[in-house]
Structures are given as structure tokens and as C-alpha cells.
Amino acid sequence: MTTKATSIDIAYRAGVSQSTVSRALRNSPLVNEETRLKVQAIAKELNYKVDKNASNLRTQSSLTLALLLCEDPTNDDSLINPFFLSMLGSITRATAQQGYDLLVSFQQLSSDWHADYEDSNKADGIILLGYGDYMDYEEKLERLLAQNTHFVIWGAAQSKSSVLSIGCDNRQGGIIATEHLVKKGRKKIAFIGDASSHSPEFQERYLGHQQALKDAGIKCNSALQVDAISTESSGYDAALVLIATKVEFDAIFAASDLIAIGAIRALKEQGIDVPSDIAIVGYDDIPVASFANPPLTTVKQNTKLAGEILVESLLKLIKGQQVSNQLIATSLVERQSCGS
């Protein structure tokens, strides 16, 4: 053809209606497989491209989702937790598979990132990653709810909130991390990470840690819990605080891999060997965990599945379908930081 192909051209060649062409190109179950494959083959032959602007105008949809990454303290200028980089990749793939575009925006916690994206037609819905102190963040989530904004967050579910959340089973992750250390013969296990409601994911991991100790008949010593945010420098400082207390410990469960890596550096500088003297388990399985010295045993979160569920849940919410909070199971990745 010398002119740009249209859906009418495809309909004529396929011997079907224009609406059937539209449905077939969207892989609608209303079109039988034989017709769908025939229409798609003709569209490919004619090098047909869907006019997204016209389609969006008809459906009153931008066919775009927004991913808002909130600033997070880091050791560099990126202000993005490395764990969220894996999440970003999985969300991008999942969005494309659903035929949507993804608008990625980096937000400062102090900014008005809760402004209504939908009213401005920038996006049909929002995925939120990272929020620092949850108590500061909660008010903005409530304002999004009040604006009837379609959004989903990655993180721990809050019992007092109707916010849709998808997250890993942090309590289960805390249990399997501590159970592993107990099986290695460790009984004085420290926890490094904020265990308060300001950091609900870390808090859930600590509760899992406490449960595993109780199940093993080991009394939980509150002196072995030291607060830390998810940075190497915070893990380093927390480990030094732990050492300075003179409380005996033979293992550390760190609430994130970054905390664990910082703690390993502090221990080594103090002449403490990992894993002979102190065994360490992290959380997240970020790429650098396998290159730590020693390689870090850690609790893995399934970022591929997480991205798919976040996108699917948000699209269901946008379409007015039934949705609910979901927890994704974790798994342990064994490396050398706990010994052979």
C-alpha cells in the first residue's frame, strides 16, 4: 500500500467488522482464535500501527501508569535504594505486557507528589515505591484516597488503612532468616533495623525474628536490637553501637542487605571475623549481595512477580474490579556469610 493502512483496510481484507478488528488487535477473548490470528497477520502484513491518541480519546484513558519513586537516603547521589532498581525493571516489563506506557517520576518527600495525576490526564493510576518514614507518608496516602485516585503501594499492609498494598511476607522473611541462624548453632542473634511503626516492613521482619527465637526456645534480648535505616553507613554505625554495648552476640539479622554490608565492614575493622565469629543474614538479595566479602546470605524478594502483581492490581482497581492486599512469599539464598 502507498498510503497508511487503517483498521477499515484490515476489516475489508479479513471480511470482518471494524469493531472485530479492534478487539482482535487487543487480544480480546470475544474474538475466536482463528479470526484473531487472521486479523493480526493482515495487520502485520500492512504494517498497521494503532493510533494510540485516537484510541485514548475514545476510551478516556491515557493508557499510561505512573511510577513514583520517593527519595531514599543512600551512600551516593542517586537517592534510590538498589532494591527498587530491580522493581523498576520488573514494573516496566509488566506495564509493557499490558499495553501501557510507564511514566517514571522521582519525588522528594517534601514535594506535592500526591497531586492528582488522573485529573491532569498524565496517568490512569499510580504505583508508589519507597516512602522513608511511614508516619510522615501516611497523611499523603489518605489525601490520595480522598481524591479517589487509583493507586497501589509496595510495602506492608496497614490494618487501619484502606490503601491497596502489595508486599512481600516480611514476617515470614524474618522467621526464615532467624531460623537459618539458629540451625547454624547461633543463639545470641542481634537485629539491626528500625523495629517501630515508622518502618512497618522492618517492624514485620523484627516480629518474625522474635517469633523464630520463641519457637526455638530462645529468649529475645531487647539489648540486641539496634535501629538503622537502609544504608551501608547506617549499618556500619549500628554495628559499632552493638559492639560498644558489650552485650554478647554471635549473629546478626540485618533488615536489609545494605545494612548487612555496612555491618560486615564495621566488624572486620574491629577484628571480628565473618562468619567464624559472627554470622550475618541480610534481606532483599540486591545484586551486590553476591559480591560482598564474604558473599551475603539473604532473604530474597521476588521482584519479577512483585512487578506483575502491582501492575495487574492497579489495572483491576482502575477498571473497578475487586482487588485486595497481597503478600508474596520470600525465600532464603544461602551464601558464605553464615558459614558452610
Side-chain angles (χ1 to χ4, degrees), residues 36 47 55 90 105 108 148 241 253 258 288 314 317 321:
R36 176 172 56 81
N47 196 28
S55 176
S90 65
S105 180
Q108 293 183 338
N148 295 317
V241 169
F253 171 28
L258 291 178
V288 74
L314 180 56
L317 189 66
Q321 299 174 4

Side-chain angles (χ1 to χ4, degrees), residues 17-31 36 39-40:
S17 67
Q18 191 177 2
S19 60
T20 298
V21 169
S22 177
R23 293 190 186 99
L25 294 177
R26 296 199 310 270
N27 292 313
S28 169
L30 298 176
V31 180
R36 176 172 56 81
V39 168
Q40 291 178 352

